[in-house]
Amino acid sequence: MNKFIVECIGTFFLLLTIGLTVIPGSAGVIAPLAIGSVLMVMVYAGGYISGAHYNPAVTLAVLIRGKCTMADVPVYLTAQILGAVAGALTAQFLVGSGTAAGTIDVTKSLIAEFLFTFALAYVVLNVATAKGTSGNSFYGLAIGFVVMAGAFSVGGISGGAFNPAVAIAAPLMGLMDWNNIWIHISADFAGGALAAIVFNILNRDDQ
């Protein structure tokens, strides 16, 4: 139950921040900075309880890594989706609905989402689960910064979800087209899975 609550709270504030900074459309560089920052602080806040995934693709990566049990997965995914939906609806209530981007390039969006979700999951596994970085104080900063970098880099191409829970909740705020959700979900889960496979290959003595 503690893990469920932490995952729900963290994902809630992630989506709330996305909505409150992106929907108004005038935040400019503030949106990626705010999104990366809220993820960072929520990772620090909940990392010691749940691991602070806040992202189904990260949960998949941690599962493949061997630091999460199959029994935990439904708990994590349910909490993340519920938190994301609640955050999106709250943001919509506070500032109204946004406007989804026009037609997006499917191939470019798939590649963009895949690459930066891979980067996110790869960083999470290395700074938050590896023996070599155990007890470090920078894990939250590293995780928040990779999301911020991704939002700056490919936000204009794919929308910069890097998170299936974000992809599911963003259309509720009018920030994504429901027809494009499959792009984010498939690319994000694939990126998370590959990151775990690569980590396991590179760290055979850290199982």
Side-chain angles (χ1 to χ4, degrees):
M1 182 56 68
N2 288 349
K3 293 179 180 179
F4 180 92
I5 294 171
V6 167
E7 288 293 309
C8 193
I9 290 173
T11 316
F12 171 87
F13 280 102
L14 175 60
L15 266 294
L16 180 65
T17 302
I18 290 172
L20 295 181
T21 57
V22 176
I23 289 174
S26 59
V29 299
I30 299 303
L33 288 170
I35 294 165
S37 296
V38 76
L39 179 59
M40 174 188 70
V41 297
M42 286 298 158
V43 166
Y44 280 123
Y48 72 101
I49 297 175
S50 71
H53 300 180
Y54 312 140
N55 183 335
V58 169
T59 297
L60 175 62
V62 175
L63 175 68
I64 296 172
R65 158 77 171 98
K67 292 295 183 179
C68 177
T69 67
M70 185 61 75
D72 279 335
V73 172
V75 175
Y76 276 72
L77 267 58
T78 301
Q80 291 157 3
I81 293 171
L82 287 177
V85 169
L89 293 177
T90 302
Q92 183 189 46
F93 173 76
L94 292 174
V95 295
S97 296
T99 303
T103 302
I104 63 174
D105 187 298
V106 173
T107 301
K108 290 180 179 179
S109 295
L110 283 168
I111 293 172
E113 286 291 308
F114 173 81
L115 289 175
F116 277 94
T117 307
F118 171 89
L120 171 59
Y122 181 73
V123 168
V124 169
L125 295 178
N126 277 282
V127 302
T129 76
K131 291 179 182 177
T133 57
S134 178
N136 73 80
S137 61
F138 55 77
Y139 65 99
L141 189 63
I143 294 167
F145 266 43
V146 73
V147 168
M148 182 180 69
F152 275 124
S153 300
V154 299
I157 297 173
S158 67
F162 323 130
N163 183 333
V166 171
I168 291 171
L172 296 173
M173 300 183 284
L175 295 179
M176 286 185 184
D177 190 318
W178 287 106
N179 294 326
N180 294 328
I181 290 179
W182 70 271
I183 296 173
H184 301 86
I185 292 177
S186 59
D188 297 348
F189 276 124
L194 182 61
I197 293 170
V198 171
F199 178 90
N200 287 339
I201 291 173
L202 296 176
N203 298 273
R204 295 185 184 278
D205 59 342
D206 187 1
Q207 302 302 320

